[in-house]
Amino acid sequence: MEINALTWIITISVIVALLLFDYIFHVRKAHIPSIREAAIWSAIYVGIALVFGLVFFLFGDTQHAIEYYSGYITEKALSVDNLFVFLVIMASFQVPREYQQKVLLFGITFALISRTVFILAGAAIISAWSDVFYLFGLALLLIAGGQLKGELAADEKEKDEADNFLVRFAKRVLPASDRYDGDKLFTRENGKRLMTPMLLVMVSIGLTDVLFAFDSIPAIYGLTQDPYIVFTATAFSLMGLRQLFFLIDGLLDRLVYLSYGLSAILGFIGVKLILHALHDNNLPFINGGENVPVVTIETSTSLMVIVGILIVTVFASLYSPKGRALVALQNAEKFSHRYSKLDDSASAEERQAAEEKMDRWTREAEKVSQHFRDELLDHKDSYSEIIRTAHETRVATAQAEGRDVPTISNSIVKNEGPKV
């Protein structure tokens, strides 16, 4: 497939059109997307990305097709990881849920612009100095090692993302309001024009996007050196990220081993880059400037390894003891909360079904070891209060109806200390 100026123009036009469509028809009017809406549009954007890869096959360009899919899957996985930090930032700024779409779409747009700059810069550097792959490889290995430092390091990173220096500086030197005025970036208070927290959260997410580019761009250049494939794989991985956020919000934290999976992927690509650099070596202090006879990793192999790592990561997150413990604790809270919100209009069948789910998951939560409770619950007091309130409501309702109900042990309701 020939990639010429016309190909670039058509591709960029399609991506810009998709972004404008999102701005005009989805976020112009603030609302909270339903699960159905998020699922439909997530499927549409993923479908567009997958169909785009088929175009290479239609032109008989199998190599570029494999490179595109490898890059797309890698960038999509890294983008999902980015959603964790976006969630922390929006929680830090207490962004109303109906305005989160606009914040996310701005973050996606800024990420696309900033990464395009990095892609062009990367292509220019590679063209001028092919041994830059040594630096790319070492950088990815360092980032992969940083991922393995665990949740404490991640928490510290997230705190820094949400309260970075430039945001603190802007708050000090620029007139800013502490309250939201719809989804406006500026407001007026006592006749003064002030920034709203909406503008500050967008600045924070924009700056964070730049940091994310330092691992995503070297990673994809480890899979393909074609700027067009790098650009399209990155762009399509970002498209639909807003809808995906609302689709899997609440499920993100169930991927308890995602950081380890991404670390393995980045480490693998880092090794691949260094092997590639050795194979095409020009550094005089390595093998006298001659190529080093090493095994290189084909892109098709990279694709299988990346997909395999992601599959193992998801299954380990959901079905490992830690993953099952988190599911039990989250569901105990979720179904207890739902039961406590039933009103008088709920039928006997609905109330019984809600009771059964609450009882089932409360019993499962009771089986969770104290070690996992301490590790997985950030606000055990809030978590316990939700379950206690639900069961107290159930007891009162049963007594009013003359029924006996089972009680739960105190190990859950008397935990002290964060909500799942």
Side-chain angles (χ1 to χ4, degrees):
M1 176 179 174
E2 183 182 359
I3 299 172
N4 51 33
L6 179 61
T7 308
W8 275 98
I9 292 171
I10 293 174
T11 303
I12 292 173
S13 299
V14 169
I15 291 171
V16 170
L18 289 172
L19 281 174
L20 290 176
F21 179 84
D22 252 0
Y23 274 106
I24 295 172
F25 294 101
H26 285 154
V27 304
R28 191 174 183 180
K29 183 178 180 181
H31 71 286
I32 303 174
S34 64
I35 294 295
R36 182 174 180 272
E37 177 187 342
I40 289 174
W41 283 105
S42 293
I44 288 174
Y45 279 109
V46 171
I48 291 173
L50 296 178
V51 168
F52 179 82
L54 294 178
V55 173
F56 295 106
F57 282 119
L58 291 176
F59 281 90
D61 194 349
T62 304
Q63 181 62 26
H64 274 158
I66 295 174
E67 289 178 359
Y68 167 77
Y69 283 124
S70 300
Y72 172 76
I73 293 171
T74 300
E75 292 296 303
K76 198 69 173 179
L78 291 171
S79 297
V80 170
D81 188 45
N82 296 355
L83 289 181
F84 282 100
V85 181
F86 289 167
L87 182 61
V88 170
I89 292 174
M90 289 192 290
S92 174
F93 283 95
Q94 299 180 333
V95 181
R97 190 154 176 86
E98 61 269 26
Y99 305 137
Q100 290 180 1
Q101 284 202 97
K102 189 170 186 177
V103 173
L104 286 169
L105 189 53
F106 168 82
I108 291 167
T109 304
F110 191 89
L112 186 56
I113 294 172
S114 62
R115 293 185 194 193
T116 299
V117 173
F118 276 96
I119 288 168
L120 296 175
I125 293 171
I126 291 170
S127 176
W129 184 41
S130 61
D131 290 303
V132 72
F133 288 115
Y134 282 114
L135 297 181
F136 282 178
L138 289 172
L140 289 181
L141 290 175
L142 289 174
I143 293 170
Q147 288 269 13
L148 292 176
K149 287 183 178 179
E151 294 180 2
L152 178 60
D155 290 341
E156 291 173 352
K157 177 184 176 183
E158 288 167 351
K159 187 183 294 184
D160 290 341
E161 313 285 19
D163 192 25
N164 60 59
F165 168 76
L166 288 179
V167 171
R168 295 196 302 271
F169 178 77
K171 287 181 178 179
R172 283 200 300 267
V173 302
L174 298 174
S177 172
D178 292 328
R179 66 177 181 83
Y180 287 90
D181 184 6
D183 58 358
K184 296 179 181 177
L185 303 182
F186 294 92
T187 187
R188 285 194 174 275
E189 292 182 4
N190 300 322
K192 294 183 178 179
R193 182 178 172 84
L194 305 175
M195 294 187 303
T196 67
M198 180 66 74
L199 178 57
L200 292 175
V201 72
M202 286 184 174
V203 170
S204 184
I205 283 182
L207 294 172
T208 304
D209 279 330
V210 175
L211 297 178
F212 286 146
F214 282 103
D215 59 1
S216 67
I217 298 306
I220 193 169
Y221 267 119
L223 299 169
T224 176
Q225 283 80 61
D226 189 313
Y228 180 79
I229 303 298
V230 174
F231 173 76
T232 52
T234 301
F236 282 114
S237 71
L238 292 170
M239 303 303 295
L241 197 59
R242 173 184 62 82
Q243 293 86 348
L244 186 64
F245 173 84
F246 288 96
L247 179 62
I248 64 177
D249 183 22
L251 300 178
L252 280 173
D253 51 359
R254 292 191 181 184
L255 300 178
V256 291
Y257 294 119
L258 179 61
S259 61
Y260 297 100
L262 292 177
S263 176
I265 290 173
L266 293 176
F268 168 76
I269 297 175
V271 170
K272 182 178 185 293
L273 278 170
I274 292 176
L275 291 174
H276 174 78
L278 288 170
H279 186 266
D280 297 327
N281 177 62
N282 293 299
L283 296 179
F285 53 85
I286 297 179
N287 198 35
E290 298 296 325
N291 296 341
V292 181
V294 294
V295 175
T296 56
I297 302 173
E298 298 295 331
T299 306
S300 56
T301 303
S302 299
L303 177 59
M304 290 187 289
V305 170
I306 291 167
V307 171
I309 290 174
L310 289 176
I311 291 173
V312 170
T313 299
V314 171
F315 274 86
S317 295
L318 298 179
Y319 298 107
S320 66
K322 183 177 179 180
R324 291 199 301 270
L326 182 59
V327 170
L329 294 170
Q330 287 183 324
N331 283 341
E333 178 193 58
K334 178 175 71 175
F335 289 112
S336 295
H337 177 73
R338 287 184 182 178
Y339 178 81
S340 66
K341 294 301 180 181
L342 289 177
D343 55 27
D344 295 336
S345 64
S347 65
E349 291 78 12
E350 289 175 330
R351 189 170 295 278
Q352 182 179 357
E355 288 178 357
E356 289 174 355
K357 288 182 178 179
M358 179 175 66
D359 284 345
R360 174 196 169 191
W361 288 108
T362 300
R363 286 193 296 269
E364 291 297 320
E366 286 289 310
K367 299 175 184 177
V368 174
S369 68
Q370 191 62 47
H371 166 72
F372 280 138
R373 292 187 201 176
D374 293 337
E375 181 180 358
L376 298 171
L377 298 178
D378 296 324
H379 301 282
K380 290 187 277 293
D381 52 348
S382 301
Y383 166 81
S384 302
E385 180 64 26
I386 289 172
I387 296 179
R388 180 167 56 251
T389 299
H391 283 269
E392 287 174 351
T393 300
R394 181 185 180 186
V395 169
T397 302
Q399 288 176 345
E401 297 174 352
R403 295 187 291 115
D404 292 328
V405 295
T407 58
I408 62 171
S409 74
N410 291 332
S411 63
I412 287 289
V413 297
K414 289 189 176 180
N415 261 326
E416 295 183 358
K419 186 176 178 182
V420 179

